[in-house]
Amino acid sequence: MTNGTDLNNIFDNNLDERMAQAIHEDRKRRTQRDRRRRKKAARRKVALAIFALAAAFCLCVGLAKILHSDVFDDEKEFQEFADDAFAAQSVCPETDTDQREYHFSEGTSYAVMRGDWINGDTKSLLDEKIDDIIKKQTKGKDAAMALLIDAAAYEYENGTISTVVHYTTYNPDGRHMKIADAQVQTNLFDKATGKGVDSLQVLNVNYKTKAQEYAEKYFSKTYNKKQRSEDWERFVTSDDTNFNKFVITKDEIAFFFDDGTVLKEGEGTPAMGVPLRIIGSTIRPAVLERYIDKNKPMVALTYDDGPYSKTEGKIVDALAKNGCVATFFYLGNRVKDDHKSAVKAVKIGCELGNHSWNHPVMSQLETKEIISQISKTNAVIYKYCGVEPVVARAPYGEYNDKVLKRTGMAQIMWSLDTEDWKTRDADATVKAIKNTKNLDGKIVLMHSIYDSTAEATETILPWLKENGYQTVTVSELIKYRTGKPPQPGKVYKKVK
Ligand code: ZN
């Protein structure tokens, strides 16, 4: 039995050991489980605490928002309101320095933010305007509770100084200050003379086409439907009435829009900065002295087949001497080697147009060739003369629907052919112009590659002036007579 007992003992011992192990493992599992549970509970507590804190925070922020008021009661609160409002409503593009003044008052409190002033004249002019606004807006029954003015002046490398003065008035509406009125004024000066100039003495007429393209995208992206007025697109077309308020900085042209135009009334006066890489090619290399009187007769002289400095140089000199301008339709393949007269022409305010790369009959070309003739020529003119043509003249006046569509520019024909290419005679060319009864609105066809035409130009320019005609570029003629810059795909023969 010993063996049996022993065996039993061994068996029992084994059993005990196994049980002990099982109990131990069970305990271990339980402790682990407990630990996990405790951890889980602890985590839950932390999460709950965080949640409670977050909820309390949100509630506080929400309450603060509801309870917050930007209606000010003292100087410090006015200053806070003014700084926030300047951040939201100032239209002046950034300047190197800005000075701020705050005037708290029981009547109208006002603050002024001044950007850089360029020179003495600009400074006194802007100071005067600011004083004027303060005088008018702080007195009388209708004076608002707050008036904020921001103003700045900018100088561009072509000699243009542009200024902007902007003000916004506010009245309390419940706990918040609401815009009562907003106005923006701009002015342009020639730095050399200190005289005020018109926008078209600084930019060529096609700047509005670029501005329109940009504005359509800008306003639909930047503002939502609630902010935009219902007919906002009407205020961003290239018509006479739009894009007339702007300043030119070293990076952009900033356009300003009146309250209640692009945006709904009470949204203030929005500003839109168009980068110079997009619109810079429409800035004139120098401020034009010439001013166009839209009520006086105007004629557009045009010269094809250049550039050709030998004879065209004489034409450009005559234009400069007489304070006149013309439009030159260029062949792209001539531009790289001979653009001296072209660069000078741009400088005095002339327009450059596209006359194809090498004078083919465009209407007989494949689509691909039409596009190449036009785009190569535009590119080489831009490269060597710094301007982007927007008008084209198909060689021999040969165009069809395909040419119109693929050229993608305004197609300029003529209403007076001097036949200078046929006669090659200065007197005959002069006669062709002088014998035309009424030149107002006419587009005159000549060629800049003949000495006889250069000679005729020297005679015809003083005669035009004596007879009350002002010379304009083709784009200017179209702009002044139709109210819009040249439209791509459209044909212009006579512009009356
Ligand atoms: Zn030609």
Side-chain angles (χ1 to χ4, degrees):
M1 287 303 284
T2 331
N3 276 346
T5 317
D6 280 352
L7 272 173
N8 272 344
N9 276 346
I10 290 165
F11 181 78
D12 285 348
N13 279 348
N14 277 350
L15 188 77
D16 282 352
E17 233 168 73
R18 269 193 307 199
M19 266 177 69
Q21 210 172 340
I23 290 165
H24 174 72
E25 299 237 311
D26 183 52
R27 204 174 283 154
K28 204 168 134 193
R29 266 200 303 274
R30 241 186 269 172
T31 9
Q32 273 173 349
R33 202 165 54 211
D34 283 352
R35 209 176 289 155
R36 275 203 301 271
R37 267 194 202 140
R38 274 201 302 277
K39 263 191 189 166
K40 221 175 177 180
R43 274 205 300 266
R44 210 175 285 152
K45 263 185 208 163
V46 171
L48 228 113
I50 291 174
F51 176 76
L53 264 168
F57 178 75
C58 288
L59 196 75
C60 284
V61 169
L63 265 174
K65 240 185 194 169
I66 294 166
L67 293 176
H68 171 77
S69 165
D70 51 10
V71 179
F72 51 86
D73 287 317
D74 56 34
E75 201 165 339
K76 194 177 154 270
E77 283 180 9
F78 171 62
Q79 201 161 319
E80 278 170 13
F81 158 75
D83 285 340
D84 286 349
F86 274 137
Q89 287 293 336
S90 162
V91 296
C92 301
E94 223 170 280
T95 56
D96 290 337
T97 56
D98 79 56
Q99 303 162 25
R100 297 185 185 195
E101 297 162 34
Y102 309 87
H103 298 258
F104 175 75
S105 139
E106 291 298 321
T108 305
S109 298
Y110 66 90
V112 184
M113 181 164 83
R114 296 162 205 259
D116 290 341
W117 289 167
I118 302 298
N119 60 26
D121 284 349
T122 318
K123 185 179 179 345
S124 48
L125 181 113
L126 287 182
D127 283 341
E128 237 169 71
K129 283 200 171 172
I130 290 170
D131 288 345
D132 212 43
I133 293 169
I134 293 171
K135 243 183 242 165
K136 276 186 192 147
Q137 298 297 324
T138 56
K139 279 182 190 141
K141 270 193 290 181
D142 298 329
M145 182 169 167
L147 163 68
L148 301 193
I149 305 171
D150 53 320
Y154 305 86
E155 183 179 341
Y156 190 69
E157 60 191 32
N158 71 349
T160 306
I161 290 175
S162 45
T163 65
V164 53
V165 181
H166 166 241
Y167 77 80
T168 314
T169 57
Y170 298 81
N171 275 322
D173 179 29
R175 302 187 148 272
H176 294 284
M177 296 296 279
K178 204 179 152 193
I179 293 176
D181 185 24
Q183 302 278 338
V184 63
Q185 290 174 1
T186 59
N187 281 95
L188 296 167
F189 301 91
D190 180 353
K191 197 191 176 192
T193 62
K195 277 186 195 157
V197 290
D198 180 78
S199 57
L200 294 186
Q201 288 170 275
V202 171
L203 305 173
N204 74 43
V205 299
N206 300 300
Y207 83 90
K208 289 193 180 186
T209 312
K210 298 252 176 206
Q212 173 178 357
E213 273 171 26
Y214 194 85
E216 281 168 355
K217 282 185 213 136
Y218 176 84
F219 282 104
S220 40
K221 259 195 208 160
T222 316
Y223 297 93
N224 60 40
K225 246 185 162 178
K226 274 190 194 162
Q227 295 171 294
R228 290 191 304 256
S229 61
E230 257 168 47
D231 55 347
W232 69 276
E233 277 156 315
R234 182 158 75 83
F235 300 98
V236 297
T237 64
S238 57
D239 292 32
D240 277 353
T241 44
N242 299 327
F243 300 117
N244 295 320
K245 292 182 180 182
F246 60 84
V247 292
I248 308 174
T249 78
K250 59 183 195 306
D251 316 300
E252 62 182 26
I253 300 184
F255 293 96
F256 308 106
F257 302 84
D258 290 329
D259 189 25
T261 58
V262 187
L263 302 187
K264 284 181 183 155
E265 211 156 309
E267 290 281 345
T269 54
M272 170 186 82
V274 185
L276 290 191
R277 76 186 140 77
I278 291 171
I279 203 167
S281 66
T282 65
I283 303 177
R284 296 189 189 276
V287 179
L288 282 195
E289 271 180 52
R290 189 168 63 98
Y291 173 77
I292 301 164
D293 183 345
K294 63 179 180 182
N295 300 314
K296 275 170 80 180
M298 48 183 82
V299 55
L301 303 177
T302 67
Y303 297 87
D304 290 4
D305 297 351
Y308 188 56
S309 291
K310 193 169 161 274
T311 48
E312 196 176 271
K314 291 181 196 167
I315 295 171
V316 174
D317 284 346
L319 291 166
K321 193 176 134 200
N322 289 283
C324 293
V325 292
T327 304
F328 295 91
F329 287 96
Y330 283 157
L331 293 171
N333 68 1
R334 289 181 177 247
V335 176
K336 188 182 165 205
D337 294 330
D338 186 1
H339 49 266
K340 211 175 135 202
S341 56
V343 169
K344 191 174 175 193
V346 173
K347 203 157 187 191
I348 63 165
C350 292
E351 179 167 20
L352 306 187
N354 186 318
H355 195 44
S356 82
W357 183 256
N358 56 6
H359 220 272
V361 178
M362 297 284 275
S363 52
Q364 289 172 1
L365 298 184
E366 297 292 324
T367 302
K368 232 170 95 183
E369 289 174 283
I370 297 173
I371 293 171
S372 148
Q373 286 277 338
I374 296 299
S375 62
K376 265 168 75 187
T377 301
N378 280 347
V380 77
I381 291 176
Y382 183 65
K383 185 171 178 190
Y384 291 99
C385 313
V387 289
E388 271 177 79
V390 297
V391 291
R393 176 177 281 161
Y396 319 103
E398 283 289 336
Y399 64 86
N400 56 17
D401 284 348
K402 191 162 84 175
V403 171
L404 284 185
K405 199 176 155 207
R406 296 301 175 182
T407 300
M409 304 165 75
Q411 193 66 237
I412 310 298
M413 295 293 111
W414 52 88
S415 40
L416 171 59
D417 185 356
T418 60
E419 299 197 325
D420 64 331
W421 56 276
K422 209 172 174 184
T423 65
R424 310 269 179 103
D425 179 63
D427 288 343
T429 305
V430 170
K431 242 185 213 164
I433 295 173
K434 282 189 184 175
N435 289 349
T436 303
K437 258 192 186 159
N438 185 3
L439 288 165
D440 186 26
K442 287 239 160 38
I443 299 172
V444 181
L445 173 64
M446 289 181 277
H447 298 79
S448 57
I449 52 172
Y450 306 118
D451 237 335
S452 53
T453 304
E455 207 183 303
T457 302
E458 285 162 2
T459 310
I460 214 70
L461 294 178
W463 180 87
L464 285 173
K465 286 204 301 186
E466 281 158 26
N467 286 274
Y469 292 107
Q470 47 189 345
T471 54
V472 290
T473 66
V474 161
S475 282
E476 286 163 352
L477 179 68
I478 294 169
K479 193 257 167 193
Y480 282 105
R481 287 295 149 91
T482 68
K484 275 182 185 178
Q487 305 293 298
K490 214 178 152 172
V491 183
Y492 296 88
K493 282 185 178 148
K494 208 195 279 175
V495 192
K496 276 251 171 180

